[in-house]
Amino acid sequence: LHGCTAAEFSAEQFANQAEIIEDLIEQGQLITAEELTRELLEQRPDDALLRGQLGRILHLEQRYQAARVQDRLALGLDPQLWQAAYNLACSSAALGDLDAAIRWLQPVVREGHKTVAEVAGDPDLQALHDDHRFSFYLATGLLSKDERDALALVQPKRLRVGEMATLSVTAIALNRPLMAPREQVRLRP
């Protein structure tokens, strides 16, 4: 059976191919980059980074639905792969699904992977600029998924069991009259 399959890439060959793919993307040769990425994925179907890279290529080709599929697969393989979540936000924004774009963008900005300036200047997220949640984020640095939200921010961002931390809770109630009465905040973990 091994004789029927293509020879696998060594780790060094794989790294070289990954660099070639990056160069192709930068040069705008997306079709070739996609072909090489798919060839590598045949060897490593469970590689989250490759899936995310394919999602990025598909997004650049404006194949947003296909990009979302690959990025969701990447996040399924590695839930910590924030680049795939960011790609999902960009593809969702391009498709006009602003709720999904906000939902995917929130963990990226909450974890500090992108600054407000980087997010605000990203042309792929241009569709979000008319969304009141995004406007609130640009003004405050806090991105809310819902109009009535409470965000918990932990300092430091990474903890071990038994370590002390500061927990800041910010209640957000967008679209309320300026002098509206206060409401109780219900916190769910």
PDB file of all heavy atoms in Angstrom, residues 61-81:
ATOM      1  N   GLU A  61      -8.545  34.914  -2.711  1.00  0.00           N
ATOM      2  CA  GLU A  61      -9.156  34.632  -4.011  1.00  0.00           C
ATOM      3  C   GLU A  61     -10.645  35.011  -4.035  1.00  0.00           C
ATOM      4  O   GLU A  61     -11.320  34.772  -5.022  1.00  0.00           O
ATOM      5  CB  GLU A  61      -9.019  33.142  -4.346  1.00  0.00           C
ATOM      6  CG  GLU A  61      -7.612  32.697  -4.607  1.00  0.00           C
ATOM      7  CD  GLU A  61      -7.501  31.199  -4.867  1.00  0.00           C
ATOM      8  OE1 GLU A  61      -8.326  30.415  -4.348  1.00  0.00           O
ATOM      9  OE2 GLU A  61      -6.578  30.802  -5.585  1.00  0.00           O
ATOM     10  N   GLN A  62     -11.128  35.562  -2.934  1.00  0.00           N
ATOM     11  CA  GLN A  62     -12.526  35.956  -2.758  1.00  0.00           C
ATOM     12  C   GLN A  62     -13.482  34.770  -2.815  1.00  0.00           C
ATOM     13  O   GLN A  62     -14.631  34.902  -3.225  1.00  0.00           O
ATOM     14  CB  GLN A  62     -12.921  37.045  -3.762  1.00  0.00           C
ATOM     15  CG  GLN A  62     -12.099  38.299  -3.594  1.00  0.00           C
ATOM     16  CD  GLN A  62     -12.466  39.383  -4.565  1.00  0.00           C
ATOM     17  OE1 GLN A  62     -13.301  39.205  -5.447  1.00  0.00           O
ATOM     18  NE2 GLN A  62     -11.846  40.538  -4.403  1.00  0.00           N
ATOM     19  N   ARG A  63     -13.015  33.642  -2.373  1.00  0.00           N
ATOM     20  CA  ARG A  63     -13.844  32.440  -2.243  1.00  0.00           C
ATOM     21  C   ARG A  63     -14.145  32.281  -0.751  1.00  0.00           C
ATOM     22  O   ARG A  63     -13.627  31.414  -0.067  1.00  0.00           O
ATOM     23  CB  ARG A  63     -13.098  31.247  -2.823  1.00  0.00           C
ATOM     24  CG  ARG A  63     -12.899  31.386  -4.330  1.00  0.00           C
ATOM     25  CD  ARG A  63     -11.888  30.435  -4.898  1.00  0.00           C
ATOM     26  NE  ARG A  63     -12.150  29.046  -4.596  1.00  0.00           N
ATOM     27  CZ  ARG A  63     -11.226  28.089  -4.753  1.00  0.00           C
ATOM     28  NH1 ARG A  63     -10.024  28.376  -5.207  1.00  0.00           N
ATOM     29  NH2 ARG A  63     -11.520  26.850  -4.449  1.00  0.00           N
ATOM     30  N   TYR A  64     -14.997  33.175  -0.255  1.00  0.00           N
ATOM     31  CA  TYR A  64     -15.175  33.356   1.174  1.00  0.00           C
ATOM     32  C   TYR A  64     -15.827  32.162   1.871  1.00  0.00           C
ATOM     33  O   TYR A  64     -15.426  31.809   2.983  1.00  0.00           O
ATOM     34  CB  TYR A  64     -15.980  34.629   1.448  1.00  0.00           C
ATOM     35  CG  TYR A  64     -15.339  35.851   0.844  1.00  0.00           C
ATOM     36  CD1 TYR A  64     -16.025  36.639  -0.062  1.00  0.00           C
ATOM     37  CD2 TYR A  64     -14.031  36.212   1.171  1.00  0.00           C
ATOM     38  CE1 TYR A  64     -15.435  37.769  -0.626  1.00  0.00           C
ATOM     39  CE2 TYR A  64     -13.436  37.337   0.612  1.00  0.00           C
ATOM     40  CZ  TYR A  64     -14.144  38.103  -0.284  1.00  0.00           C
ATOM     41  OH  TYR A  64     -13.561  39.211  -0.846  1.00  0.00           O
ATOM     42  N   GLN A  65     -16.807  31.526   1.234  1.00  0.00           N
ATOM     43  CA  GLN A  65     -17.442  30.365   1.866  1.00  0.00           C
ATOM     44  C   GLN A  65     -16.435  29.225   2.029  1.00  0.00           C
ATOM     45  O   GLN A  65     -16.365  28.595   3.084  1.00  0.00           O
ATOM     46  CB  GLN A  65     -18.650  29.884   1.046  1.00  0.00           C
ATOM     47  CG  GLN A  65     -19.846  30.783   1.114  1.00  0.00           C
ATOM     48  CD  GLN A  65     -20.554  30.742   2.465  1.00  0.00           C
ATOM     49  OE1 GLN A  65     -20.034  30.263   3.466  1.00  0.00           O
ATOM     50  NE2 GLN A  65     -21.752  31.283   2.501  1.00  0.00           N
ATOM     51  N   ALA A  66     -15.666  28.962   0.987  1.00  0.00           N
ATOM     52  CA  ALA A  66     -14.657  27.907   1.066  1.00  0.00           C
ATOM     53  C   ALA A  66     -13.591  28.260   2.101  1.00  0.00           C
ATOM     54  O   ALA A  66     -13.094  27.388   2.824  1.00  0.00           O
ATOM     55  CB  ALA A  66     -14.017  27.691  -0.309  1.00  0.00           C
ATOM     56  N   ALA A  67     -13.246  29.539   2.186  1.00  0.00           N
ATOM     57  CA  ALA A  67     -12.264  29.986   3.181  1.00  0.00           C
ATOM     58  C   ALA A  67     -12.788  29.721   4.589  1.00  0.00           C
ATOM     59  O   ALA A  67     -12.041  29.256   5.462  1.00  0.00           O
ATOM     60  CB  ALA A  67     -11.959  31.471   2.993  1.00  0.00           C
ATOM     61  N   ARG A  68     -14.073  30.003   4.812  1.00  0.00           N
ATOM     62  CA  ARG A  68     -14.644  29.779   6.146  1.00  0.00           C
ATOM     63  C   ARG A  68     -14.609  28.303   6.525  1.00  0.00           C
ATOM     64  O   ARG A  68     -14.354  27.961   7.673  1.00  0.00           O
ATOM     65  CB  ARG A  68     -16.069  30.325   6.225  1.00  0.00           C
ATOM     66  CG  ARG A  68     -16.082  31.825   6.185  1.00  0.00           C
ATOM     67  CD  ARG A  68     -17.325  32.538   6.605  1.00  0.00           C
ATOM     68  NE  ARG A  68     -18.618  31.905   6.532  1.00  0.00           N
ATOM     69  CZ  ARG A  68     -19.728  32.485   6.988  1.00  0.00           C
ATOM     70  NH1 ARG A  68     -19.684  33.681   7.530  1.00  0.00           N
ATOM     71  NH2 ARG A  68     -20.887  31.878   6.890  1.00  0.00           N
ATOM     72  N   VAL A  69     -14.840  27.431   5.548  1.00  0.00           N
ATOM     73  CA  VAL A  69     -14.795  25.988   5.834  1.00  0.00           C
ATOM     74  C   VAL A  69     -13.397  25.594   6.293  1.00  0.00           C
ATOM     75  O   VAL A  69     -13.224  24.916   7.311  1.00  0.00           O
ATOM     76  CB  VAL A  69     -15.224  25.167   4.597  1.00  0.00           C
ATOM     77  CG1 VAL A  69     -14.915  23.685   4.783  1.00  0.00           C
ATOM     78  CG2 VAL A  69     -16.694  25.387   4.296  1.00  0.00           C
ATOM     79  N   GLN A  70     -12.379  26.017   5.548  1.00  0.00           N
ATOM     80  CA  GLN A  70     -11.002  25.642   5.896  1.00  0.00           C
ATOM     81  C   GLN A  70     -10.581  26.235   7.244  1.00  0.00           C
ATOM     82  O   GLN A  70      -9.909  25.574   8.042  1.00  0.00           O
ATOM     83  CB  GLN A  70     -10.034  26.076   4.798  1.00  0.00           C
ATOM     84  CG  GLN A  70     -10.200  25.317   3.501  1.00  0.00           C
ATOM     85  CD  GLN A  70     -10.008  23.818   3.668  1.00  0.00           C
ATOM     86  OE1 GLN A  70      -9.186  23.337   4.436  1.00  0.00           O
ATOM     87  NE2 GLN A  70     -10.799  23.049   2.921  1.00  0.00           N
ATOM     88  N   ASP A  71     -10.989  27.472   7.519  1.00  0.00           N
ATOM     89  CA  ASP A  71     -10.615  28.092   8.788  1.00  0.00           C
ATOM     90  C   ASP A  71     -11.332  27.437   9.965  1.00  0.00           C
ATOM     91  O   ASP A  71     -10.765  27.305  11.047  1.00  0.00           O
ATOM     92  CB  ASP A  71     -10.876  29.600   8.748  1.00  0.00           C
ATOM     93  CG  ASP A  71      -9.825  30.325   7.919  1.00  0.00           C
ATOM     94  OD1 ASP A  71      -8.633  29.983   8.038  1.00  0.00           O
ATOM     95  OD2 ASP A  71     -10.189  31.220   7.151  1.00  0.00           O
ATOM     96  N   ARG A  72     -12.578  27.007   9.761  1.00  0.00           N
ATOM     97  CA  ARG A  72     -13.265  26.285  10.838  1.00  0.00           C
ATOM     98  C   ARG A  72     -12.592  24.942  11.096  1.00  0.00           C
ATOM     99  O   ARG A  72     -12.480  24.509  12.239  1.00  0.00           O
ATOM    100  CB  ARG A  72     -14.738  26.080  10.486  1.00  0.00           C
ATOM    101  CG  ARG A  72     -15.567  27.317  10.687  1.00  0.00           C
ATOM    102  CD  ARG A  72     -17.001  27.053  10.256  1.00  0.00           C
ATOM    103  NE  ARG A  72     -17.798  28.227  10.415  1.00  0.00           N
ATOM    104  CZ  ARG A  72     -18.800  28.339  11.284  1.00  0.00           C
ATOM    105  NH1 ARG A  72     -19.100  27.331  12.060  1.00  0.00           N
ATOM    106  NH2 ARG A  72     -19.477  29.458  11.371  1.00  0.00           N
ATOM    107  N   LEU A  73     -12.159  24.276  10.026  1.00  0.00           N
ATOM    108  CA  LEU A  73     -11.417  23.026  10.209  1.00  0.00           C
ATOM    109  C   LEU A  73     -10.122  23.276  10.971  1.00  0.00           C
ATOM    110  O   LEU A  73      -9.750  22.510  11.860  1.00  0.00           O
ATOM    111  CB  LEU A  73     -11.114  22.389   8.853  1.00  0.00           C
ATOM    112  CG  LEU A  73     -12.292  21.747   8.124  1.00  0.00           C
ATOM    113  CD1 LEU A  73     -11.901  21.373   6.695  1.00  0.00           C
ATOM    114  CD2 LEU A  73     -12.802  20.539   8.877  1.00  0.00           C
ATOM    115  N   ALA A  74      -9.444  24.365  10.622  1.00  0.00           N
ATOM    116  CA  ALA A  74      -8.191  24.707  11.313  1.00  0.00           C
ATOM    117  C   ALA A  74      -8.439  24.936  12.799  1.00  0.00           C
ATOM    118  O   ALA A  74      -7.687  24.448  13.647  1.00  0.00           O
ATOM    119  CB  ALA A  74      -7.557  25.944  10.681  1.00  0.00           C
ATOM    120  N   LEU A  75      -9.512  25.666  13.135  1.00  0.00           N
ATOM    121  CA  LEU A  75      -9.823  25.912  14.546  1.00  0.00           C
ATOM    122  C   LEU A  75     -10.266  24.641  15.257  1.00  0.00           C
ATOM    123  O   LEU A  75     -10.022  24.480  16.449  1.00  0.00           O
ATOM    124  CB  LEU A  75     -10.903  26.983  14.678  1.00  0.00           C
ATOM    125  CG  LEU A  75     -10.400  28.413  14.580  1.00  0.00           C
ATOM    126  CD1 LEU A  75     -11.567  29.389  14.597  1.00  0.00           C
ATOM    127  CD2 LEU A  75      -9.432  28.743  15.699  1.00  0.00           C
ATOM    128  N   GLY A  76     -10.909  23.739  14.523  1.00  0.00           N
ATOM    129  CA  GLY A  76     -11.266  22.454  15.115  1.00  0.00           C
ATOM    130  C   GLY A  76     -10.035  21.644  15.473  1.00  0.00           C
ATOM    131  O   GLY A  76     -10.005  20.946  16.488  1.00  0.00           O
ATOM    132  N   LEU A  77      -9.005  21.757  14.640  1.00  0.00           N
ATOM    133  CA  LEU A  77      -7.753  21.045  14.901  1.00  0.00           C
ATOM    134  C   LEU A  77      -6.923  21.730  15.985  1.00  0.00           C
ATOM    135  O   LEU A  77      -6.239  21.067  16.755  1.00  0.00           O
ATOM    136  CB  LEU A  77      -6.932  20.944  13.613  1.00  0.00           C
ATOM    137  CG  LEU A  77      -7.543  20.076  12.518  1.00  0.00           C
ATOM    138  CD1 LEU A  77      -6.838  20.309  11.190  1.00  0.00           C
ATOM    139  CD2 LEU A  77      -7.488  18.605  12.911  1.00  0.00           C
ATOM    140  N   ASP A  78      -6.970  23.065  16.017  1.00  0.00           N
ATOM    141  CA  ASP A  78      -6.214  23.832  17.010  1.00  0.00           C
ATOM    142  C   ASP A  78      -7.027  25.056  17.430  1.00  0.00           C
ATOM    143  O   ASP A  78      -6.960  26.097  16.783  1.00  0.00           O
ATOM    144  CB  ASP A  78      -4.861  24.264  16.437  1.00  0.00           C
ATOM    145  CG  ASP A  78      -4.009  25.025  17.439  1.00  0.00           C
ATOM    146  OD1 ASP A  78      -4.461  25.250  18.580  1.00  0.00           O
ATOM    147  OD2 ASP A  78      -2.883  25.405  17.081  1.00  0.00           O
ATOM    148  N   PRO A  79      -7.798  24.946  18.513  1.00  0.00           N
ATOM    149  CA  PRO A  79      -8.649  26.064  18.946  1.00  0.00           C
ATOM    150  C   PRO A  79      -7.865  27.330  19.321  1.00  0.00           C
ATOM    151  O   PRO A  79      -8.448  28.398  19.406  1.00  0.00           O
ATOM    152  CB  PRO A  79      -9.377  25.500  20.178  1.00  0.00           C
ATOM    153  CG  PRO A  79      -9.296  24.028  20.044  1.00  0.00           C
ATOM    154  CD  PRO A  79      -8.010  23.757  19.317  1.00  0.00           C
ATOM    155  N   GLN A  80      -6.564  27.231  19.527  1.00  0.00           N
ATOM    156  CA  GLN A  80      -5.746  28.385  19.888  1.00  0.00           C
ATOM    157  C   GLN A  80      -5.191  29.120  18.667  1.00  0.00           C
ATOM    158  O   GLN A  80      -4.495  30.119  18.815  1.00  0.00           O
ATOM    159  CB  GLN A  80      -4.569  27.949  20.777  1.00  0.00           C
ATOM    160  CG  GLN A  80      -5.000  27.270  22.053  1.00  0.00           C
ATOM    161  CD  GLN A  80      -5.889  28.159  22.908  1.00  0.00           C
ATOM    162  OE1 GLN A  80      -5.591  29.323  23.109  1.00  0.00           O
ATOM    163  NE2 GLN A  80      -6.986  27.607  23.384  1.00  0.00           N
ATOM    164  N   LEU A  81      -5.497  28.647  17.476  1.00  0.00           N
ATOM    165  CA  LEU A  81      -4.968  29.250  16.248  1.00  0.00           C
ATOM    166  C   LEU A  81      -5.752  30.526  15.939  1.00  0.00           C
ATOM    167  O   LEU A  81      -6.700  30.536  15.166  1.00  0.00           O
ATOM    168  CB  LEU A  81      -5.045  28.250  15.087  1.00  0.00           C
ATOM    169  CG  LEU A  81      -4.341  28.642  13.793  1.00  0.00           C
ATOM    170  CD1 LEU A  81      -2.845  28.825  13.996  1.00  0.00           C
ATOM    171  CD2 LEU A  81      -4.608  27.604  12.722  1.00  0.00           C
TER     172      LEU A  81
END
